[in-house]
Each structure stands twice: as structure tokens, then as C-alpha cells.
Short mmCIF file of all heavy atoms in Angstrom, two decimals:
data_model
loop_
_atom_site.label_atom_id
_atom_site.label_comp_id
_atom_site.label_asym_id
_atom_site.label_seq_id
_atom_site.Cartn_x
_atom_site.Cartn_y
_atom_site.Cartn_z
N ALA A 1 17.50 -0.36 7.69
CA ALA A 1 17.44 0.27 9.02
C ALA A 1 16.56 1.52 8.99
O ALA A 1 16.93 2.60 9.44
CB ALA A 1 18.84 0.62 9.54
N MET A 2 15.34 1.34 8.47
CA MET A 2 14.41 2.46 8.29
C MET A 2 13.10 2.23 9.05
O MET A 2 12.03 2.61 8.59
CB MET A 2 14.12 2.69 6.81
CG MET A 2 15.31 3.17 6.00
SD MET A 2 14.97 3.33 4.21
CE MET A 2 13.81 4.70 4.19
N THR A 3 13.16 1.62 10.23
CA THR A 3 11.93 1.27 10.94
C THR A 3 11.05 2.48 11.21
O THR A 3 9.83 2.43 11.05
CB THR A 3 12.26 0.56 12.27
OG1 THR A 3 13.17 1.36 13.02
CG2 THR A 3 12.86 -0.81 12.03
N GLY A 4 11.65 3.59 11.61
CA GLY A 4 10.87 4.77 11.95
C GLY A 4 10.35 5.54 10.75
O GLY A 4 9.47 6.41 10.90
N TRP A 5 10.86 5.25 9.58
CA TRP A 5 10.40 5.95 8.39
C TRP A 5 9.02 5.46 7.95
O TRP A 5 8.27 6.21 7.33
CB TRP A 5 11.39 5.74 7.23
CG TRP A 5 12.73 6.32 7.42
CD1 TRP A 5 13.70 5.88 8.29
CD2 TRP A 5 13.29 7.44 6.74
NE1 TRP A 5 14.83 6.65 8.17
CE2 TRP A 5 14.61 7.62 7.23
CE3 TRP A 5 12.82 8.28 5.74
CZ2 TRP A 5 15.44 8.63 6.75
CZ3 TRP A 5 13.64 9.29 5.27
CH2 TRP A 5 14.94 9.46 5.78
N ARG A 6 8.69 4.22 8.25
CA ARG A 6 7.42 3.58 7.87
C ARG A 6 7.25 3.55 6.36
O ARG A 6 6.60 4.41 5.76
CB ARG A 6 6.21 4.26 8.53
CG ARG A 6 6.31 4.50 10.03
CD ARG A 6 6.80 3.28 10.82
NE ARG A 6 5.98 2.10 10.64
CZ ARG A 6 6.48 0.87 10.42
NH1 ARG A 6 7.79 0.68 10.37
NH2 ARG A 6 5.66 -0.15 10.29
N LEU A 7 7.86 2.55 5.75
CA LEU A 7 7.80 2.43 4.29
C LEU A 7 7.82 0.95 3.91
O LEU A 7 8.80 0.25 4.18
CB LEU A 7 8.98 3.16 3.64
CG LEU A 7 8.97 3.25 2.11
CD1 LEU A 7 7.73 4.00 1.62
CD2 LEU A 7 10.24 3.95 1.61
N GLY A 8 6.73 0.49 3.32
CA GLY A 8 6.63 -0.89 2.88
C GLY A 8 5.93 -0.96 1.54
O GLY A 8 5.53 0.06 0.97
N TYR A 9 5.77 -2.19 1.05
CA TYR A 9 5.10 -2.34 -0.24
C TYR A 9 4.62 -3.76 -0.44
O TYR A 9 5.05 -4.70 0.24
CB TYR A 9 6.02 -1.94 -1.40
CG TYR A 9 7.28 -2.76 -1.56
CD1 TYR A 9 7.27 -3.95 -2.29
CD2 TYR A 9 8.48 -2.34 -0.99
CE1 TYR A 9 8.42 -4.71 -2.44
CE2 TYR A 9 9.63 -3.08 -1.14
CZ TYR A 9 9.61 -4.27 -1.87
OH TYR A 9 10.74 -5.01 -2.02
N SER A 10 3.72 -3.90 -1.40
CA SER A 10 3.27 -5.22 -1.83
C SER A 10 3.38 -5.31 -3.34
O SER A 10 3.39 -4.30 -4.05
CB SER A 10 1.81 -5.46 -1.42
OG SER A 10 0.95 -4.57 -2.10
N VAL A 11 3.49 -6.56 -3.80
CA VAL A 11 3.35 -6.88 -5.22
C VAL A 11 2.27 -7.94 -5.30
O VAL A 11 2.35 -8.98 -4.63
CB VAL A 11 4.67 -7.40 -5.82
CG1 VAL A 11 4.45 -7.88 -7.25
CG2 VAL A 11 5.75 -6.33 -5.77
N ALA A 12 1.23 -7.69 -6.08
CA ALA A 12 0.08 -8.59 -6.14
C ALA A 12 -0.58 -8.45 -7.50
O ALA A 12 -0.29 -7.52 -8.26
CB ALA A 12 -0.91 -8.24 -5.02
N PRO A 13 -1.50 -9.36 -7.84
CA PRO A 13 -2.28 -9.19 -9.08
C PRO A 13 -2.92 -7.81 -9.12
O PRO A 13 -3.34 -7.27 -8.09
CB PRO A 13 -3.32 -10.30 -8.99
CG PRO A 13 -2.71 -11.34 -8.13
CD PRO A 13 -1.88 -10.59 -7.12
N ARG A 14 -3.00 -7.23 -10.29
CA ARG A 14 -3.41 -5.83 -10.40
C ARG A 14 -4.78 -5.56 -9.79
O ARG A 14 -4.98 -4.54 -9.13
CB ARG A 14 -3.39 -5.43 -11.88
CG ARG A 14 -3.37 -3.94 -12.12
CD ARG A 14 -2.87 -3.64 -13.51
NE ARG A 14 -1.60 -4.31 -13.78
CZ ARG A 14 -1.00 -4.33 -14.99
NH1 ARG A 14 -1.58 -3.70 -16.01
NH2 ARG A 14 0.14 -4.96 -15.16
N TRP A 15 -5.72 -6.48 -9.96
CA TRP A 15 -7.07 -6.27 -9.41
C TRP A 15 -7.03 -6.20 -7.89
O TRP A 15 -7.77 -5.43 -7.27
CB TRP A 15 -8.03 -7.36 -9.88
CG TRP A 15 -7.64 -8.76 -9.45
CD1 TRP A 15 -6.88 -9.64 -10.15
CD2 TRP A 15 -8.00 -9.40 -8.22
NE1 TRP A 15 -6.73 -10.81 -9.44
CE2 TRP A 15 -7.41 -10.70 -8.26
CE3 TRP A 15 -8.75 -9.03 -7.11
CZ2 TRP A 15 -7.55 -11.62 -7.22
CZ3 TRP A 15 -8.89 -9.95 -6.07
CH2 TRP A 15 -8.30 -11.22 -6.13
N LEU A 16 -6.13 -6.98 -7.29
CA LEU A 16 -6.01 -6.98 -5.83
C LEU A 16 -5.23 -5.76 -5.36
O LEU A 16 -5.56 -5.15 -4.33
CB LEU A 16 -5.35 -8.27 -5.36
CG LEU A 16 -5.19 -8.45 -3.85
CD1 LEU A 16 -6.51 -8.28 -3.12
CD2 LEU A 16 -4.58 -9.82 -3.55
N THR A 17 -4.20 -5.38 -6.11
CA THR A 17 -3.47 -4.15 -5.79
C THR A 17 -4.41 -2.96 -5.78
O THR A 17 -4.37 -2.11 -4.87
CB THR A 17 -2.34 -3.93 -6.81
OG1 THR A 17 -1.37 -4.97 -6.68
CG2 THR A 17 -1.65 -2.58 -6.59
N ASP A 18 -5.30 -2.87 -6.76
CA ASP A 18 -6.25 -1.77 -6.82
C ASP A 18 -7.23 -1.80 -5.64
O ASP A 18 -7.59 -0.76 -5.09
CB ASP A 18 -7.02 -1.81 -8.13
CG ASP A 18 -6.15 -1.45 -9.34
OD1 ASP A 18 -5.07 -0.87 -9.15
OD2 ASP A 18 -6.57 -1.77 -10.47
N ALA A 19 -7.65 -3.01 -5.25
CA ALA A 19 -8.56 -3.13 -4.10
C ALA A 19 -7.87 -2.69 -2.82
O ALA A 19 -8.46 -1.99 -1.98
CB ALA A 19 -9.06 -4.56 -3.98
N MET A 20 -6.61 -3.09 -2.65
CA MET A 20 -5.88 -2.70 -1.44
C MET A 20 -5.59 -1.20 -1.44
O MET A 20 -5.60 -0.56 -0.39
CB MET A 20 -4.60 -3.52 -1.31
CG MET A 20 -4.87 -5.00 -1.03
SD MET A 20 -3.41 -5.92 -0.45
CE MET A 20 -2.35 -5.85 -1.88
N ALA A 21 -5.36 -0.64 -2.62
CA ALA A 21 -5.18 0.81 -2.71
C ALA A 21 -6.44 1.55 -2.29
O ALA A 21 -6.38 2.64 -1.69
CB ALA A 21 -4.77 1.20 -4.12
N GLN A 22 -7.61 0.97 -2.59
CA GLN A 22 -8.87 1.56 -2.16
C GLN A 22 -8.97 1.56 -0.64
O GLN A 22 -9.44 2.53 -0.04
CB GLN A 22 -10.03 0.80 -2.78
CG GLN A 22 -11.40 1.45 -2.53
CD GLN A 22 -12.52 0.71 -3.23
OE1 GLN A 22 -12.31 -0.35 -3.83
NE2 GLN A 22 -13.71 1.26 -3.17
N LEU A 23 -8.51 0.47 -0.01
CA LEU A 23 -8.48 0.42 1.46
C LEU A 23 -7.52 1.48 1.99
O LEU A 23 -7.79 2.13 3.01
CB LEU A 23 -8.06 -0.96 1.94
CG LEU A 23 -9.12 -2.06 1.80
CD1 LEU A 23 -8.51 -3.44 2.03
CD2 LEU A 23 -10.26 -1.82 2.80
N GLN A 24 -6.40 1.67 1.31
CA GLN A 24 -5.46 2.71 1.74
C GLN A 24 -6.09 4.09 1.62
O GLN A 24 -5.94 4.93 2.51
CB GLN A 24 -4.17 2.63 0.93
CG GLN A 24 -3.19 3.76 1.23
CD GLN A 24 -1.76 3.31 1.27
OE1 GLN A 24 -1.30 2.75 2.27
NE2 GLN A 24 -1.02 3.56 0.20
N THR A 25 -6.81 4.34 0.53
CA THR A 25 -7.49 5.63 0.36
C THR A 25 -8.44 5.89 1.52
O THR A 25 -8.56 7.03 1.99
CB THR A 25 -8.28 5.64 -0.97
OG1 THR A 25 -7.39 5.43 -2.06
CG2 THR A 25 -9.00 6.97 -1.16
N ASN A 26 -9.10 4.84 1.99
CA ASN A 26 -10.06 4.98 3.08
C ASN A 26 -9.42 5.02 4.46
O ASN A 26 -10.13 5.25 5.45
CB ASN A 26 -11.07 3.83 3.03
CG ASN A 26 -12.16 4.06 2.01
OD1 ASN A 26 -13.22 4.58 2.34
ND2 ASN A 26 -11.91 3.68 0.76
N SER A 27 -8.13 4.78 4.56
CA SER A 27 -7.49 4.75 5.89
C SER A 27 -6.39 5.79 6.01
O SER A 27 -6.52 6.77 6.75
CB SER A 27 -6.95 3.34 6.18
OG SER A 27 -6.09 2.89 5.15
N THR A 28 -5.30 5.63 5.26
CA THR A 28 -4.17 6.55 5.41
C THR A 28 -4.05 7.54 4.26
O THR A 28 -3.18 8.41 4.30
CB THR A 28 -2.85 5.75 5.48
OG1 THR A 28 -2.65 5.05 4.25
CG2 THR A 28 -2.89 4.74 6.63
N SER A 29 -4.87 7.41 3.24
CA SER A 29 -4.82 8.22 2.02
C SER A 29 -3.62 7.84 1.15
O SER A 29 -3.77 7.43 0.00
CB SER A 29 -4.78 9.73 2.31
OG SER A 29 -5.97 10.15 2.93
N CYS A 30 -2.41 8.01 1.69
CA CYS A 30 -1.22 7.74 0.90
C CYS A 30 -0.02 7.66 1.85
O CYS A 30 -0.13 7.92 3.04
CB CYS A 30 -0.99 8.83 -0.15
SG CYS A 30 -0.79 10.48 0.55
N THR A 31 1.11 7.30 1.29
CA THR A 31 2.37 7.27 2.03
C THR A 31 3.10 8.58 1.81
O THR A 31 3.07 9.14 0.71
CB THR A 31 3.24 6.09 1.54
OG1 THR A 31 2.47 4.88 1.64
CG2 THR A 31 4.50 5.95 2.38
#
């Protein structure tokens, strides 16, 4: 029951996790 907190995650192959983290750096920076 944490909809307003905005907290999610993914588990993926490391190379893809790093690529998605790069997209996060370019959009929200961090959580």
C-alpha cells in the first residue's frame, strides 16, 4: 500500500540493468 511513495524495481541481466540505469541517470537521476 505504497502507491504514493513511488518505489519499484527490476531484475534483469547485468548488461541490461546497467543500460536501464543509464536511462535513469538521464531522466530521474535516482530514486
Side-chain angles (χ1 to χ4, degrees):
M2 294 176 68
T3 53
W5 295 71
R6 310 314 302 136
L7 187 60
Y9 62 86
S10 66
V11 173
R14 198 160 308 173
W15 61 268
L16 182 54
T17 295
D18 290 343
M20 292 195 294
Q22 187 176 5
L23 286 168
Q24 175 140 281
T25 301
N26 279 267
S27 55
T28 64
S29 295
C30 59
T31 305

